[in-house]
Amino acid sequence: MCKGDDVNCPQFEAHYRSFKEDLNVERRSFLKSGFLAAGGLAALGAGGGISLVTPALAQASAARQPQQRAYHYLPATADTVHWGFFSKTLKPQVEIDSGDIVTIETLTHHAGDDLERMVEGDEGAESVYLWTKDKKGVDRRGAGPTDPAVYKKGSGEGMGVHILTGPVFVRDAEPGDILEVRILDCTPRPSANPKFAGKSYGSNAAANWGFHYNDMLEGKKREVITIYEVDVTGSKSWAEAVYNFPWVPQTDPFGVTHTTIDYPGVPVDHALTTRNYDVLKGIRLPIRPHFGTLGLAPAEADFVDTVPPSYTGGNIDNWRIGKGATMYYPVAVEGAMMSVGDPHASQGDSELCGTAIECSLTGTFQFILHKEADLAGTPLEELNYPMLETQTDWLVHGFSFANYLQELGPSAQSDIYSKSSVDLALRDAFRKMRHFLMTTKGLTEDEAVSLMSIGVDFGVTQVVDGNWGVHAIVKKDIFAGRG
């Protein structure tokens, strides 16, 4: 029987509509069924183990919340996403109270690499990726110029690439507060094309901004796209390569030719590419779905490039920011204005070639607001950077410039790309971990330095995002003997 996958069926259109409706229901119901299995909303937020949120702070923050938690669903469409920038000036897509739970759909900005697998039949993705000779579904793509007399490749060009869903406005959030973001779930978005039912797909671009690009054998620079398949039924915990192809010049629907990957969302015409299906045979890449870009709007500028991370989070590209993780962010503007995107199926530390497996995901988040007045004497009192907590670890994020928008001045959003280094990022991570150990664990500087050398793991988060990153991980159980 036709399930919307047989164009020769006399009732193909009706069957295809039914398929898409079922798919939408599936997307929106997966979380609720999970909630019921776990005992509903009341079961969430119980936590466990040692947390940065002390019992007293948790009690104070809970007392400020409405008695009833609300649940919200934010789909990804041309009306709910902003492409390539954070902004405090955006209209919120949803307003919530502290304690509320929001399921948010996110789309990869690399879906144009294989529209058949990652966009076709998906109404939300189709609306975002719409691009004809007359218009784009989302015109502005980046924090750059929007004047046709200035840009050459497209509106917003040159600064920012990620599709972000949001922003989420948290009522009563003000500068000086801390927003706790719990990632309750993180699930690959299934392909809406019935030819690929039960599968999700992602793209890895070994691109011109990758660390490897100027160090290729025989000096043969090239950009290569690899498409990966992810099983969404849960029967496989790995991704497998489907094919790869070298980038060749692509002319977008507005008539601009892109000789390199230089503008987000350019639809790849595979009539021009050469696909190699004999790639990475027998290799299984463990999936660890996470959000490469998750953060709050900064205060320093109205439109901020999504590529470099900073003190309010953003494009941190740490694969640990997935299901079960909790992020803490300093609030810089009223409402916090949280946006999320750059979804990844998997990534290694460094994101060396320029991207992860860029794969659309749906995440579920709980937002807890901690007011500045309640922070005194807690581990969050002086937090001025994005921090990650898991059941077993604390992790600080260091950057070449902790707040590049402030430190580099009026031209920060262009200068940052030429000024970053791993040395600077390591220095920042060291200083943040030293501060964390001294203030939250009561260590002396000498104790903290010794502990960092023997009990803290420093790793390169990424070397491709303009503001390079180094993270420092300390195990919670190191402090088990302190009572």
Side-chain angles (χ1 to χ4, degrees):
M1 175 183 174
C2 171
K3 297 181 180 179
D5 55 357
D6 182 2
V7 295
N8 296 314
C9 174
Q11 295 179 301
F12 167 73
E13 291 187 5
H15 291 160
Y16 185 56
R17 283 196 302 270
S18 177
F19 167 79
K20 289 200 293 184
E21 290 170 1
D22 289 345
L23 186 65
N24 286 335
V25 170
E26 175 187 346
R27 283 177 177 153
R28 285 161 173 75
S29 66
F30 81 94
L31 175 74
K32 291 183 179 179
S33 64
F35 279 167
L36 292 173
L41 297 180
L44 295 172
I50 309 173
S51 172
L52 293 177
V53 179
T54 64
L57 178 58
Q59 185 175 13
S61 299
R64 296 177 181 272
Q65 299 173 14
Q67 288 187 339
Q68 186 69 36
R69 291 173 180 165
Y71 172 73
H72 312 262
Y73 199 106
L74 184 57
T77 71
D79 296 325
T80 62
V81 306
H82 46 107
W83 197 324
F85 59 91
F86 283 93
S87 179
K88 61 188 178 183
T89 69
L90 285 168
K91 177 184 176 181
Q93 294 302 318
V94 62
E95 293 192 14
I96 69 169
D97 291 311
S98 178
D100 283 0
I101 291 165
V102 189
T103 292
I104 306 175
E105 296 179 358
T106 66
L107 300 175
T108 173
H109 56 291
H110 277 273
D113 294 338
D114 191 327
L115 293 166
E116 183 184 28
R117 286 174 168 80
M118 291 188 273
V119 174
E120 194 171 305
D122 186 325
E123 292 181 0
E126 286 178 340
S127 73
V128 172
Y129 272 88
L130 174 68
W131 194 347
T132 68
K133 64 182 180 62
D134 300 314
K135 66 176 181 179
K136 288 190 291 186
V138 180
D139 186 55
R140 180 173 191 157
R141 302 183 181 185
T146 58
D147 183 353
V150 177
Y151 65 70
K152 297 178 181 178
K153 299 166 187 172
S155 179
E157 73 175 70
M159 299 165 61
V161 298
H162 310 99
I163 300 172
L164 301 183
T165 310
V168 174
F169 184 96
V170 182
R171 298 185 185 101
D172 200 32
E174 301 171 300
D177 298 341
I178 297 294
L179 184 65
E180 176 185 349
V181 180
R182 301 173 179 174
I183 305 175
L184 306 179
D185 208 349
C186 183
T187 305
R189 185 183 183 94
S191 174
N193 188 328
K195 291 197 297 185
F196 308 110
K199 304 295 182 185
S200 183
Y201 292 89
S203 172
N204 169 249
N208 64 81
W209 60 87
F211 190 82
H212 71 294
Y213 190 68
N214 293 312
D215 194 15
M216 301 192 77
L217 297 177
E218 301 179 10
K220 295 182 178 179
K221 296 181 182 179
R222 60 195 176 277
E223 295 178 295
V224 178
I225 308 291
T226 305
I227 301 298
Y228 286 85
E229 179 181 284
V230 176
D231 178 81
V232 296
T233 67
S235 61
K236 296 179 181 178
S237 60
W238 63 84
E240 296 176 289
V242 180
Y243 67 90
N244 69 8
F245 65 93
W247 181 271
V248 294
Q250 298 286 332
T251 300
D252 68 38
F254 283 1
V256 178
T257 298
H258 305 265
T259 57
T260 62
I261 305 170
D262 60 6
Y263 189 73
V266 171
V268 172
D269 180 359
H270 280 286
L272 304 175
T273 68
T274 300
R275 301 198 209 188
N276 170 27
Y277 286 89
D278 188 24
V279 57
L280 291 172
K281 294 297 184 182
I283 303 297
R284 295 177 174 179
L285 282 301
I287 61 168
R288 38 196 186 193
H290 63 281
F291 299 97
T293 303
L294 172 64
L296 315 184
E300 286 76 7
D302 285 347
F303 293 91
V304 178
D305 180 352
T306 58
V307 175
S310 193
Y311 73 105
T312 54
N315 190 33
I316 294 176
D317 276 330
N318 188 330
W319 61 263
R320 300 161 184 83
I321 305 177
K323 182 177 180 178
T326 296
M327 289 294 298
Y328 299 91
Y329 300 99
V331 175
V333 300
E334 182 185 0
M337 300 289 279
M338 198 284 311
S339 297
V340 57
D342 189 24
H344 297 165
S346 196
Q347 182 205 302
D349 284 333
S350 86
E351 201 180 15
L352 188 139
C353 81
T355 70
I357 298 180
E358 311 289 327
C359 173
S360 299
L361 304 173
T362 296
T364 299
F365 308 86
Q366 185 178 30
F367 299 89
I368 308 293
L369 181 64
H370 302 290
K371 297 295 294 180
E372 183 177 20
D374 300 326
L375 299 178
T378 76
L380 299 179
E381 180 179 9
E382 298 179 6
L383 187 70
N384 60 359
Y385 57 87
M387 185 159 188
L388 170 63
E389 180 175 46
T390 70
Q391 287 291 95
T392 58
D393 303 325
W394 287 301
L395 190 151
V396 304
H397 291 102
F399 307 116
S400 297
F401 295 89
N403 182 349
Y404 77 96
L405 293 167
Q406 182 183 79
E407 295 172 67
L408 299 182
S411 58
Q413 295 197 59
S414 55
D415 288 350
I416 184 63
Y417 288 97
S418 63
K419 294 182 178 294
S420 290
S421 75
V422 171
D423 287 355
L424 290 172
L426 179 60
R427 180 70 60 186
D428 187 45
F430 153 69
R431 289 172 174 168
K432 287 171 177 172
M433 180 54 75
R434 176 178 61 187
H435 178 268
F436 174 78
L437 293 173
M438 292 179 67
T439 57
T440 67
K441 297 303 170 187
L443 304 186
T444 67
E445 182 178 20
D446 292 337
E447 288 174 326
V449 168
S450 179
L451 179 58
M452 279 189 284
S453 187
I454 60 176
V456 174
D457 292 318
F458 288 82
V460 177
T461 323
Q462 52 75 23
V463 289
V464 294
D465 292 341
N467 197 11
W468 291 7
V470 168
H471 54 265
I473 305 173
V474 61
K475 295 288 184 184
K476 292 180 178 180
D477 60 13
I478 284 179
F479 306 98
R482 295 176 68 89

